[in-house]
Amino acid sequence: MAIVHDASARFDTTASVVVIGAGGAGATAALAARSAGADVLVLDRDAAPSGATACSSGMVPAAGTAEQTARGIADSPQRFADDIQTKANGSAYAPLVKALTEASATVLEWLTKQYGIRFELVEGVAPGHSLSRMHALADRGGATLLSSLYSALGTQGVRMESSADVTDLIVDDSQRVIGVRYKRGSKSESVACSTLILACNGFAGNRSLVAKYLPDVRALPFAGHDGSQGDAIAWGTDLDAQLADIDGFLAHGAVILAQRLPLPWSLMTEGAVQVNRDGERFVNEHEGYSESALFVLAQPGATAFMIYDERVHEIGLTMPNYATAVTSGVIKRESVLRDLADQLGINRDGLEGTIALVNALAFEDAADDFGREFRATQMLLGPYYGVPVTGALLGTEGGLATDATGRVLRKNGSPFPNLLAAGGAARGVSGDAAGGYLEGNGLLTAIVGGYIAGNTAAATQT
Ligand SMILES: Cc1cc2nc3c(=O)[nH]c(=O)nc-3n(C[C@H](O)[C@H](O)[C@H](O)COP(=O)(O)OP(=O)(O)OC[C@H]3O[C@@H](n4cnc5c(N)ncnc54)[C@H](O)[C@@H]3O)c2cc1C
């Protein structure tokens, strides 16, 4: 990874907007730039690009959508922004929060109307959101969302090159990016551009950068996409760009590590609990999946067990990650709790005592000492299900500081002439500390942030 200062460099080809990374941010940015008339080239180092986006549940939060209105849900960008800031303790960058929340409904409507990418409102209220605002495609999968974006790129004639590992940004004396160099197998190729969008995600897959910037979570295993190597941070650091919210991260407290598979957290909101090997609960599972990861890591063997019943299992089956876990055979089912405890290696008496207490709280619609509120409709009744999980790091939430239009900022706050960033490459809206991640922040900054950056790129191309 390097910044090469060479104003007289020659290039093999040219595109007005070059996008590095073909995940959700890159694909949406490319589509927006193309829709606004730009000639766009997307480069991704993977032979079959997928990014973290394809690993996700594909749920994009948006406020004030037609889908919400149709269900009588009165949401607004301000209410969405308030939820983001409440979770981030007020430390999310307000101009970016405003821009993303205000554009969120427009972007989903644009994808639906222009490209037939149809979002549904997901049932239920995600932790930390004050009402239902998660939107997803019918199959609730990030891979489908991404392949739909690729189809749209195809119909718009956007060029996309895979197995294209971008190594160097070529800049002139005014720090204007005039092109990029990339490796395709043993060949080195190059493209000139008038605007560059960094959409190459964060640094969660780079252990030394995690140790440097996120020492508190370096013990968490990584379960994200290997392409998150911090290339945007490396180029930005060389350019002396501003980094922001670098302490923010996205982790998950219910990951089947062998498959890098996070289980849907809605199982928790539907009534599932987490216990350790002693059968004891250790956290309010409703506080959010990201912060729960470190609690799980602190349990004996860094292992927790999700325990639930047939009703929750049936809800889980509607979600791709859960269905995958069921197919792989890791989820155990028993008619009585003691047998489930034996199968999973949990202390029997501990588990029985915990579920009895949970059901007693649910019977009274009461809260426990961790602050979780239980509901009578969610009592856990046999047959029971259980699965061992661990806490893992999925992504980073800090990155290159940008303004609200996606332009990367220098340390003095002024924007670089033609360098933009979106998605995990840029600062997110989770603020600067652990626990600031509100469900959906990742795809909000990728899909909506990508749209904003793509439009900025098209408007500023020379
Ligand atoms: C398992 C998992 C589950 C998640 N679940 C959710 C969820 O439910 N909701 C949510 O909001 N968020 C979720 N997230 C986070 C969310 O997926 C990400 O924040 C978002 O997808 C990031 O999008 P992106 O486009 O920035 O990055 P990506 O989708 O990772 O795309 C970046 C692309 O850049 C490419 N690249 C990197 N460097 C280079 C280079 N030098 N040259 C060329 N190409 C390069 C990579 O190969 C990759 O394809 C999840 C993440 C994971 C890992």
Side-chain angles (χ1 to χ4, degrees):
M1 292 309 114
I3 296 293
V4 176
H5 296 265
D6 182 1
S8 58
R10 294 278 170 269
F11 298 93
D12 302 327
T13 180
T14 188
S16 57
V17 176
V18 168
V19 181
I20 304 178
T28 313
L31 198 56
R34 179 73 197 117
S35 298
D39 164 41
V40 185
L41 173 66
V42 184
L43 302 169
D44 196 288
R45 67 153 67 98
D46 287 347
S50 62
T53 305
C55 312
S56 78
S57 62
M59 293 191 197
V60 186
T65 64
E67 291 74 20
Q68 287 178 309
T69 308
R71 300 261 199 98
I73 295 168
D75 198 3
S76 69
Q78 185 59 53
R79 188 163 180 177
F80 185 9
D82 289 346
D83 288 348
I84 289 174
Q85 291 292 14
T86 300
K87 192 72 172 65
N89 239 333
S91 68
Y93 181 53
L96 188 59
V97 174
K98 184 173 187 315
L100 292 170
T101 52
E102 286 182 351
S104 59
T106 304
V107 175
L108 297 198
E109 190 180 333
W110 168 70
L111 288 171
T112 301
K113 290 202 170 139
Q114 297 293 318
Y115 304 107
I117 303 175
R118 278 183 201 293
F119 289 88
E120 298 174 357
L121 185 65
V122 177
E123 289 288 341
V125 179
H129 290 269
S130 54
L131 36 66
S132 289
R133 63 164 72 96
M134 304 306 287
H135 297 72
L137 305 192
D139 83 340
R140 309 282 187 268
T144 316
L145 173 59
L146 197 59
S147 62
S148 305
L149 290 169
Y150 288 171
S151 299
L153 289 175
T155 60
Q156 294 306 301
V158 173
R159 289 178 288 158
M160 190 158 119
E161 293 197 10
S162 50
S163 302
D165 185 8
V166 182
T167 52
D168 302 334
L169 310 193
I170 320 297
V171 299
D172 69 11
D173 296 340
S174 64
Q175 292 189 308
R176 171 176 290 277
V177 181
I178 58 171
V180 308
R181 249 182 231 135
Y182 54 100
K183 280 191 293 195
R184 296 191 84 186
S186 57
K187 272 180 67 188
S188 174
E189 298 183 20
S190 61
V191 55
C193 62
S194 66
T195 306
L196 179 68
I197 302 178
L198 299 176
C200 44
N201 210 339
F203 57 92
N206 182 323
R207 297 319 288 177
S208 60
L209 287 182
V210 170
K212 178 176 175 185
Y213 292 119
L214 292 169
D216 293 348
V217 302
R218 71 178 159 191
L220 283 175
F222 176 58
H225 181 258
D226 288 326
S228 307
Q229 291 300 319
D231 295 1
I233 296 275
W235 288 313
T237 305
D238 270 12
L239 282 168
D240 216 20
Q242 202 184 119
L243 304 184
D245 296 338
I246 208 73
D247 300 330
F249 62 89
L250 161 61
H252 200 288
V255 175
I256 299 170
L257 200 56
Q259 302 169 49
R260 290 194 179 187
L261 192 66
L263 292 176
W265 207 252
S266 46
L267 301 184
M268 302 294 192
T269 51
E270 290 295 340
V273 296
Q274 270 192 325
V275 300
N276 59 21
R277 284 205 186 283
D278 299 327
E280 289 166 355
R281 288 182 52 244
F282 49 87
V283 72
N284 174 358
E285 300 91 339
H286 285 187
E287 283 204 344
Y289 56 68
S290 189
E291 53 270 56
S292 88
L294 287 172
F295 288 100
V296 172
L297 196 73
Q299 302 313 305
T303 301
F305 302 85
M306 279 176 71
I307 307 292
Y308 47 95
D309 63 5
E310 192 82 37
R311 182 185 59 80
V312 177
H313 168 75
E314 292 293 332
I315 294 169
L317 285 175
T318 63
M319 290 169 264
N321 279 10
Y322 185 76
T324 303
V326 171
T327 308
S328 73
V330 288
I331 291 173
K332 306 298 176 202
R333 176 186 191 271
E334 291 290 349
S335 301
V336 288
L337 268 179
R338 292 179 89 75
D339 292 344
L340 186 69
D342 288 349
Q343 267 221 62
L344 294 172
I346 307 172
N347 179 290
R348 289 175 169 187
D349 294 340
L351 183 61
E352 282 189 331
T354 294
I355 300 303
L357 180 59
V358 160
N359 282 340
L361 290 165
F363 186 71
E364 294 175 0
D365 279 324
D368 68 354
D369 291 345
F370 299 116
R372 172 168 168 175
E373 289 173 9
F374 290 89
R375 279 183 272 149
T377 51
Q378 297 187 343
M379 286 177 77
L380 296 174
L381 309 167
Y384 298 98
Y385 289 76
V387 54
V389 291
T390 193
L393 184 64
L394 302 185
T396 47
E397 286 293 296
L400 297 173
T402 64
D403 63 16
T405 69
R407 296 184 302 170
V408 176
L409 302 176
R410 297 189 178 95
K411 285 200 173 131
N412 67 9
S414 68
F416 286 91
N418 64 345
L419 183 63
L420 306 169
R427 117 193 280 174
V429 288
S430 302
D432 59 2
Y437 184 88
L438 178 69
E439 190 164 330
N441 277 0
L443 289 177
L444 175 71
T445 50
I447 303 297
V448 183
Y451 170 86
I452 291 172
N455 276 300
T456 305
T460 55
Q461 61 183 317
T462 48

